[in-house]
Amino acid sequence: MVEPLLRVSDVSKSYDELQVLKDVSFDLLERDVKVIFGPSGSGKSTLLRCINMLNPPDKGKIFLRGNNITAPKVDLNTIRTRIGMVFQHFNLFAHLKAIDNVSIGLRRVKGLKKQEAYEKAFKALDRVKLTEWADHYPAQLSGGQQQRVGIARALAMEPDLILFDEPTSALDPELIGEVLQVMLDLAKAGTTMLVVTHEMGFARAVASELLFIDKGIIIERGTPEHFSVSPTSDRVKQFLQQLDVLYGSHEKLLDILDEEEKI
Amino acid sequence: MIFQANPFEQLLAVLAYWDRFLTGFLLTMWMYVWALFLGFLLGLLLALSRQYGHFFIQKIAIIYIEIIRGTPLIAQLFFISFLPNALNFSIDIMIIETNLFNRSFRLLDYPIFVGILTLILNSGAYQAEYLRGSFVSVGTGQLEAARAIGMSRFSSIRHIVLPQALRRVIPSWSNEAAYLPKYTVLVYFIGGVEELFSQADYIQHRTSFPFATYIIVAILFLITITLISKLLDTIHKRTSIPGL
Ligand SMILES: Nc1ncnc2c1ncn2[C@@H]1O[C@H](COP(=O)(O)OP(=O)(O)OP(=O)(O)O)[C@@H](O)[C@H]1O
Ligand SMILES: [Mg+2]
C-alpha cells in the first residue's frame, strides 16, 4: 500500500462549547487533488488550520509522510515550510513587493542568500505568470494578481502539499478565471493540493475526490461524477442546488479558458 | 515703575536675556529628546509585551500603562523625586556640565535626571498605546501567513508586523511628539532645573514684563512644535507603502 502524503485521522476541534470538527478522517496521496466544500461555518477553514497546526486539533492525529505532526515537541516551523497555505483574503505582506513576498520565506526561514532566493522566487512568479509584476506592491495589484502572488509565495517554499482556503471567493467574477487557471496548471503539473472551494468546475477538472462537510462532519464523499450524478444525502443535494444558483455561471469560465488554450 | 513701556519696548527688554531663553530652551529640548526616544523604546517593549507577551507579561504591561495614564505627570515627578528620600537611600548622579554663552550649562544632575526619567516612564506608557494600536491595525492575517510559511513568531513580528506598524504609528505618534515638549515644562516644579520656565520666571522678575516674557516662550514652543509636526509629516510621506 502506498503511504499517503497526508493522513488526517479522527481530528476534532472545539472552540469553547462549540464543536467545529468531529472525527474528520481522510487521506491525500502524493500528486492528488481533493476538494472540500460545504456551507459557511461548517469548519472548512478550521480543518485547514488544523492541518498546518495554526490551530492544533484537540483530538486526533495528522501525519505528513508518516510522521505524526500533532505529537508534542514537533518543530512546527519546519513542518509548516512543507505545507503551503493560500488564503481567502490573500494575506500578502503589504509592505513588501511581490518578489519579496515570495522570497521572504526562502530568506528568513530557509536561510538562502538574497540572490538565490530571488531566482527561486522569480521562478515561482513565472508559474503564476506574474514576473512582470515582481516589483509591484500588493496594493498596486488586482485581487486576482494578489492571489497569484499568494500562490507563488506558497510554491516558492517547495512544499509537499498546498492548502487552499476558498482562494477565489473574495474575487470579482472576472478575476476568478486567472486564479483557477493557475491552480489547474499546478494540479496538472502534479502538485498535491487540498482545496476548499465551491468552484465545481475546478473540482470536476482535477479533483479525485470531493468531501462534503457540514457541522464539522464529513457527511458525504465521492468523485466529482458521484456528486453531479447521484449525491445521496438530501443536505448535499440541497446545497448543490444553491451552489448552482450562485456559481452556475462560473462553470463556463473554465470552458472559455479551455478554448483559449486550444487557440 | 516710572515709565510705561510699550509692547515693543517690553519685548526688547525681555529679549536682552536671549541667552537665558536659549539655554532654558535647549535644556527643555535636551530632556524632551531623551524622553521621546527612550520613551519610544520603553513604549515598544510595553506594546510588544501587551500585544504578544505571555499572560503575566501582558498583565504587568497593562497595569503599568494604566497606572501611568491614570495619574498626573506632576504627581509622578514628585513621586520619583521624593522616592529615594522616603526609602532612605540616595542616588549619586554624575554632574555633566558645559559652557554655553559664557554661562555654565548643566546637562545632567539629580533633578534633571529625575525629570528625564519621569518623562521616559510617562511617555513610554502613552507611546505603548499608540504602538499597540498600530500593531492591531496591521491585523492577524499577515502574521498568520508568515507563520504558515514557517516563520517563527519572533521573526514574523520582526519582519512583517513591525515594519508596517512603525509606519502606521507615525501620525498618532506625532501627537506624542508634539505634546511632550509641553509636558516637559512640568519639570519646572521639581525645582533646581534651569529649563525654559525657570529661566522665564527669572527674566520676568528681572524685567517685570511677564506678558512679553511668556509671549517669547509661547513663540519658541509654537515654532518648535510646528517644525516637529512638519518633519514627522514628511517622514510619514517618505515611508508610505506604494499603492496604499
Ligand atoms: N478562533 C475562533 N474562535 C471561536 N470560534 C471560531 C473561531 N474560528 C472559527 N470559529 C467558529 O467555528 C465555526 C467554523 O468556522 P470555519 O471558519 O472553520 O468555517 P468555514 O467552513 O470555513 O466557513 P466559511 O465558509 O464561512 O469560511 C464557525 O461557527 C466559527 O464561528
Ligand atoms: Mg472559511
Side-chain angles (χ1 to χ4, degrees):
Chain A
M1 204 194 102
V2 204
E3 183 182 66
L5 175 65
L6 177 76
R7 163 159 287 174
V8 174
S9 169
D10 289 326
V11 160
S12 298
K13 174 87 190 169
S14 303
Y15 290 114
D16 300 322
E17 298 291 277
L18 179 73
Q19 184 156 17
V20 181
L21 294 174
K22 286 170 211 150
D23 299 325
V24 172
S25 300
F26 65 92
D27 286 353
L28 187 64
L29 298 181
E30 184 131 34
R31 305 173 73 84
D32 200 2
V33 176
K34 287 193 179 180
V35 161
I36 298 170
F37 70 114
S40 180
S42 56
K44 306 179 296 294
S45 299
T46 306
L47 177 58
L48 294 191
R49 297 163 54 86
C50 280
I51 292 171
N52 74 358
M53 297 290 282
L54 279 173
N55 283 356
D58 302 333
K59 221 179 99 240
K61 294 191 175 87
I62 294 161
F63 299 89
L64 187 63
R65 294 198 193 280
N67 300 314
N68 181 0
I69 64 170
T70 45
K73 304 223 170 113
V74 170
D75 178 3
L76 290 179
N77 290 337
T78 307
I79 294 298
R80 291 198 190 104
T81 62
R82 295 169 52 195
I83 305 177
M85 179 125 176
V86 174
F87 298 85
Q88 182 174 9
H89 297 286
F90 331 135
N91 298 4
L92 295 186
F93 308 133
H95 62 306
L96 298 179
K97 293 172 179 170
I99 186 80
D100 292 314
N101 262 278
V102 179
S103 64
I104 189 167
L106 297 170
R107 296 183 60 194
R108 302 290 172 204
V109 181
K110 295 205 166 173
L112 299 192
K113 293 265 178 323
K114 187 167 181 171
Q115 184 63 26
E116 203 182 340
Y118 267 26
E119 278 163 21
K120 285 200 174 198
F122 211 73
K123 283 193 191 122
L125 280 176
D126 190 38
R127 291 186 72 183
V128 300
K129 305 185 183 73
L130 277 181
T131 47
E132 282 153 47
W133 297 85
D135 285 330
H136 285 69
Y137 287 85
Q140 299 170 318
L141 301 173
S142 73
Q145 291 171 325
Q146 289 188 49
Q147 190 57 294
R148 282 146 65 198
V149 174
I151 293 172
R153 176 172 67 184
L155 276 177
M157 300 299 284
E158 297 170 339
D160 292 347
L161 80 153
I162 303 182
L163 312 172
F164 293 79
D165 191 359
E166 303 201 43
T168 57
S169 65
L171 295 174
D172 291 338
E174 74 270 23
L175 302 176
I176 291 175
E178 65 188 54
V179 172
L180 287 181
Q181 184 61 57
V182 163
M183 291 169 61
L184 283 178
D185 293 346
L186 292 183
K188 285 174 187 157
T191 313
T192 313
M193 295 160 68
L194 184 61
V195 185
V196 173
T197 186
H198 293 139
E199 297 291 345
M200 288 300 139
F202 171 82
R204 223 162 283 146
V206 291
S208 70
E209 191 181 42
L210 276 65
L211 310 173
F212 180 83
I213 181 169
D214 189 21
K215 302 197 177 91
I217 303 171
I218 297 179
I219 60 173
E220 191 162 336
R221 61 172 87 194
T223 60
E225 292 71 41
H226 164 83
F227 278 98
S228 53
V229 181
S230 54
T232 46
S233 90
D234 289 339
R235 186 74 191 86
V236 178
K237 284 180 199 160
Q238 183 199 351
F239 185 77
L240 283 171
Q241 267 171 14
Q242 288 169 347
L243 273 193
D244 212 37
V245 174
L246 277 170
Y247 288 80
S249 55
H250 291 180
E251 305 249 329
K252 299 194 180 66
L253 267 175
L254 286 167
D255 295 342
I256 296 169
L257 286 167
D258 275 351
E259 275 159 30
E260 276 174 359
E261 243 171 276
K262 278 169 211 147
I263 298 167
Chain B
M1 240 186 303
I2 359 173
F3 69 99
Q4 199 70 42
N6 71 32
F8 186 66
E9 286 163 341
Q10 290 184 23
L11 277 178
L12 278 184
V14 162
L15 281 175
Y17 293 90
W18 62 271
D19 55 335
R20 283 185 176 267
F21 276 120
L22 214 56
T23 54
F25 175 72
L26 286 176
L27 183 55
T28 299
M29 284 298 117
W30 166 253
M31 295 190 291
Y32 162 74
V33 168
W34 280 106
L36 189 66
F37 289 104
L38 292 185
F40 172 75
L41 293 183
L42 174 62
L44 194 57
L45 194 72
L46 286 168
L48 287 170
S49 308
R50 181 160 184 184
Q51 190 65 15
Y52 303 112
H54 291 293
F55 184 78
F56 274 110
I57 298 199
Q58 262 184 38
K59 288 287 171 267
I60 291 170
I62 290 173
I63 291 169
Y64 177 83
I65 292 168
E66 291 314 316
I67 288 177
I68 294 289
R69 300 204 315 156
T71 55
L73 174 57
I74 188 83
Q76 294 161 13
L77 277 167
F78 289 149
F79 179 83
I80 303 275
S81 63
F82 298 136
L83 190 66
N85 208 318
L87 298 182
N88 269 320
F89 68 94
S90 64
I91 319 175
D92 279 327
I93 296 295
M94 196 178 25
I95 292 180
I96 302 177
E97 227 167 359
T98 168
N99 253 306
L100 211 60
F101 311 121
N102 298 320
R103 294 163 32 79
S104 81
F105 181 68
R106 278 211 174 172
L107 292 169
L108 192 65
D109 58 16
Y110 182 69
I112 293 177
F113 173 77
V114 168
I116 292 177
L117 178 66
T118 312
L119 288 168
I120 292 169
L121 296 176
N122 178 279
S123 183
Y126 287 92
Q127 296 194 45
E129 287 300 273
Y130 291 131
L131 282 163
R132 197 173 67 94
S134 69
F135 288 159
V136 171
S137 79
V138 173
T140 54
Q142 295 183 46
L143 199 58
E144 231 161 52
R147 301 308 305 275
I149 50 173
M151 287 171 78
S152 67
R153 197 172 159 74
F154 176 82
S155 181
S156 312
I157 292 169
R158 154 89 178 72
H159 294 290
I160 305 301
V161 180
L162 267 186
Q164 295 179 61
L166 292 182
R167 287 179 170 98
R168 281 168 184 252
V169 81
I170 296 173
S172 59
W173 192 76
S174 3
N175 279 325
E176 181 64 11
Y179 273 124
L180 198 54
K182 292 172 279 184
Y183 287 132
T184 305
V185 304
L186 288 185
V187 173
Y188 170 67
F189 292 103
I190 305 177
V193 180
E194 300 207 313
E195 47 70 68
L196 188 56
F197 268 72
S198 72
Q199 297 286 16
D201 192 46
Y202 175 89
I203 296 166
Q204 62 111 346
H205 272 112
R206 291 298 294 262
T207 58
S208 53
F209 296 140
F211 187 76
T213 306
Y214 289 109
I215 285 283
I216 301 292
V217 170
I219 290 172
L220 280 173
F221 271 102
L222 191 60
I223 293 172
T224 310
I225 287 163
T226 309
L227 289 178
I228 292 169
S229 302
K230 278 267 179 304
L231 177 69
L232 287 172
D233 222 36
T234 314
I235 294 177
H236 185 51
K237 289 203 184 98
R238 288 263 174 91
T239 56
S240 73
I241 297 163
L244 275 185

